[in-house]
Amino acid sequence: MKISLKILLYTNKTYSDGTHPVVLQYIMNRKPTKKVIHKCYAKDWDFKTNRIKNKVKNSAHTNNFLSEEFNKAEKKLYEVRQGNATVSTILQDKEVITLHDALQSEMNRFKKEKKTGAYKRYEGYQKQLAEHFGSKELDIRKVNLNWYQDLAVFLANEIREDGKVVKKKNNGSVVQLKIKVFRRLIETYSGTSPTQDIKKFKVTSNKPVKQKLNALELLRIEQLDLSNNPHLEAVRDLFLLQVYLRGARVGSILMAYPHQFKDGRYTALNSDGKKNVSAKLIPKAQAIVDKYIGKHERLFPLYEWQPNPKATDFENKRRMIKKKEASTTIVNKLLKRIAKLAEIDKPLSSHIARHTYARMAINKVSNPMQSMELLGHSTLAIHQGYLADIRKDDELDDLNDDIFS
């Protein structure tokens, strides 16, 4: 029997929401047979590639799913041609796709695209939900509002085993963000849109206060004498350099090479997809660079890593990020010690350097487009939300001072 296979948008049928079924079309002895695997609007379909257009939201997720369904169908066809299966087996009802499987499919895509950060996040989701939420058996087509409500409670609470924290709790904003991720994932792999009650389900967002240093606190850190502890001194100088370099991200400075600091400028590398800023070296920044340049492979002796020539690019990138995260953890622990020495009653961390610079910038720069460029935010919406949080925190602090004054 001669059988061919392709994916297409079957526009002869229209659903009530205006979409058309995306089908696997089998041609068997010149007779077409169709199996629905998804749905799509005609305006969003690329009829040349028979995939969803790249500009459509979540197209990468959906096209990955369509390709996996096509590959599964091809394998079944091969079994039929070999005589190991019958034609009826390839036309059976759509097989169960669990949440665990959907997460794994996304991880496979991230691995292929070398997106190590996204891979790690989804790997964490998969592990937690498999251990505590039964995701390996959960048919994503059966997910309802109760499941999302239970997920929100799970994400918002801490889990301990034998006195040890095995899952940290998430604040409301993070819970809402993760629910959005799962909703999009389930919509893609189930081929159905979420119900209205699921679309309307939201978790109260309680954004944490963006801690930052005032001018006096920054001066205390600058004036600390740490010459008897070179490691602690390097961490202090790294933090200050972050502030001086327009709130540069800690990973960028940890991993920076000496050649990125020359001719009075710092040149950022953006291989991780973030918009890290390049900046002029002000005198205080130049003094720190001069103190360390030429003494180590990186500017600071706080991060050491070399790729494994036997490992894949993806694995090397994963190990690099893991090492960066471990180094950042050590830096943040030492910053707590530095805060104590400087008599600063704040949970000092590397990210506070970024908030500190942001506070200084918006005090001097009224044009949000300019301050967005200074901080390296990718969109004006993100930047304005960031500034609004900082301004709101300051206003509340000032009100509290007035109450107790």
Side-chain angles (χ1 to χ4, degrees):
M1 178 183 290
K2 187 175 181 181
I3 308 176
S4 63
L5 172 69
K6 63 180 178 181
I7 288 180
L8 54 83
L9 185 70
Y10 187 57
T11 55
N12 289 340
K13 180 176 181 178
T14 305
Y15 294 123
S16 59
D17 61 358
T19 59
H20 307 286
V22 178
V23 301
L24 287 170
Q25 178 172 278
Y26 300 87
I27 306 293
M28 294 180 266
N29 294 331
R30 298 183 181 179
K31 292 182 179 181
T33 303
K34 300 174 183 66
K35 181 180 178 181
V36 179
I37 58 173
H38 207 69
K39 63 179 182 177
C40 179
Y41 292 103
K43 65 181 177 62
D44 294 336
W45 188 257
D46 187 332
F47 288 90
K48 290 183 179 179
T49 62
N50 277 324
R51 292 293 187 275
I52 292 174
K53 293 177 181 177
N54 291 334
K55 66 180 182 180
V56 177
K57 186 178 180 181
N58 301 329
S59 62
H61 292 264
T62 309
N63 285 333
N64 179 62
F65 167 72
L66 296 179
S67 294
E68 291 209 348
E69 288 296 299
F70 183 82
N71 291 337
K72 289 177 185 177
E74 280 195 319
K75 289 177 182 178
K76 288 182 178 179
L77 274 183
Y78 177 79
E79 292 297 314
V80 171
R81 293 188 182 109
Q82 296 298 309
N84 299 325
T86 62
V87 173
S88 61
T89 61
I90 65 176
L91 299 176
Q92 291 172 349
D93 291 338
K94 191 173 179 181
E95 62 186 280
V96 172
I97 299 176
T98 67
L99 180 57
H100 190 85
D101 294 336
L103 287 165
Q104 187 61 53
S105 294
E106 286 301 288
M107 287 162 59
N108 292 341
R109 178 172 70 88
F110 294 141
K111 186 173 184 179
K112 183 178 179 181
E113 297 172 0
K114 298 180 181 178
K115 295 181 177 178
T116 52
Y119 183 95
K120 183 180 178 182
R121 285 197 302 275
Y122 276 62
E123 185 180 42
Y125 298 157
Q126 188 188 57
K127 183 179 178 182
Q128 282 190 353
L129 295 185
E131 290 179 355
H132 306 290
F133 223 64
S135 62
K136 287 187 176 181
E137 295 79 31
L138 178 64
D139 183 346
I140 59 174
R141 292 173 296 181
K142 296 180 179 179
V143 168
N144 55 24
L145 178 61
N146 288 337
W147 184 85
Y148 280 101
Q149 291 171 336
D150 290 343
L151 177 65
V153 173
F154 168 76
L155 293 172
N157 285 280
E158 183 179 84
I159 294 179
R160 288 177 173 268
E161 291 180 1
D162 299 325
K164 184 180 179 182
V165 176
V166 295
K167 188 195 84 66
K168 295 180 180 179
K169 62 182 178 180
N170 297 276
N171 65 45
S173 301
V174 175
V175 172
Q176 185 62 46
L177 182 64
K178 289 183 177 180
I179 283 176
K180 186 178 179 181
V181 168
F182 285 112
R183 192 169 60 202
R184 182 181 62 193
L185 180 78
I186 290 168
E187 180 180 358
T188 298
Y189 283 87
S190 67
T192 59
S193 299
T195 58
Q196 285 300 315
D197 57 354
I198 291 175
K199 286 181 180 179
K200 293 177 180 178
F201 176 63
K202 293 187 181 298
V203 176
T204 303
S205 297
N206 51 333
K207 293 183 179 180
V209 173
K210 282 184 166 58
Q211 295 279 1
K212 54 218 168 273
L213 302 182
N214 58 39
L216 180 58
E217 290 168 333
L218 189 62
L219 182 63
R220 286 179 192 165
I221 291 177
E222 289 175 329
Q223 293 180 343
L224 277 178
D225 182 6
L226 300 172
S227 55
N228 63 337
N229 191 329
H231 198 65
L232 206 60
E233 185 177 32
V235 169
R236 186 271 308 274
D237 291 343
L238 179 141
F239 176 86
L240 291 176
L241 194 58
Q242 281 185 261
V243 178
Y244 302 153
L245 295 179
R246 292 164 39 189
R249 293 176 173 88
V250 63
S252 302
I253 307 303
L254 269 174
M255 300 166 67
Y257 289 99
H259 67 76
Q260 292 174 242
F261 302 86
K262 64 179 181 180
D263 300 328
R265 288 195 67 80
Y266 159 66
T267 303
L269 302 178
N270 288 292
S271 58
D272 62 354
K274 291 186 181 293
K275 190 179 178 183
N276 297 306
V277 295
S278 299
K280 177 184 177 182
L281 295 174
I282 64 171
K284 287 182 177 181
Q286 187 66 63
I288 291 175
V289 171
D290 291 343
K291 186 194 296 188
Y292 293 94
I293 200 159
K295 295 182 180 179
H296 314 281
E297 182 184 9
R298 314 266 176 174
L299 181 67
F300 289 104
L302 302 170
Y303 174 88
E304 293 181 3
W305 178 83
Q306 292 293 338
N308 182 348
K310 295 182 179 180
T312 65
D313 289 344
F314 178 78
E315 286 301 322
N316 271 324
K317 193 172 180 181
R318 286 195 75 194
R319 291 168 183 168
M320 178 187 73
I321 290 175
K322 187 175 181 179
K323 178 64 177 177
K324 180 183 73 172
E325 290 173 347
S327 298
T328 301
T329 298
I330 293 171
V331 165
N332 286 333
K333 284 182 178 178
L334 293 176
L335 283 172
K336 302 291 187 295
R337 287 177 56 188
I338 289 170
K340 191 173 181 179
L341 291 171
E343 298 181 350
I344 296 172
D345 187 22
K346 290 178 181 176
L348 193 62
S349 70
S350 55
H351 206 63
I352 286 182
R354 188 162 173 78
H355 296 162
T356 299
Y357 176 77
R359 174 71 269 175
M360 295 163 67
I362 62 177
N363 279 343
K364 295 283 187 179
V365 181
S366 57
N367 186 332
M369 295 301 295
Q370 291 179 329
S371 56
M372 180 183 80
E373 288 297 320
L374 283 170
L375 286 163
H377 285 147
S378 56
T379 68
L380 184 60
I382 290 173
H383 180 64
Q384 289 178 323
Y386 186 90
L387 297 189
D389 288 344
I390 287 179
R391 289 190 177 111
K392 183 178 179 181
D393 294 339
D394 284 352
E395 288 171 5
L396 293 175
D397 287 344
D398 290 343
L399 286 172
N400 195 51
D401 288 343
D402 289 342
I403 289 170
F404 288 99
S405 62

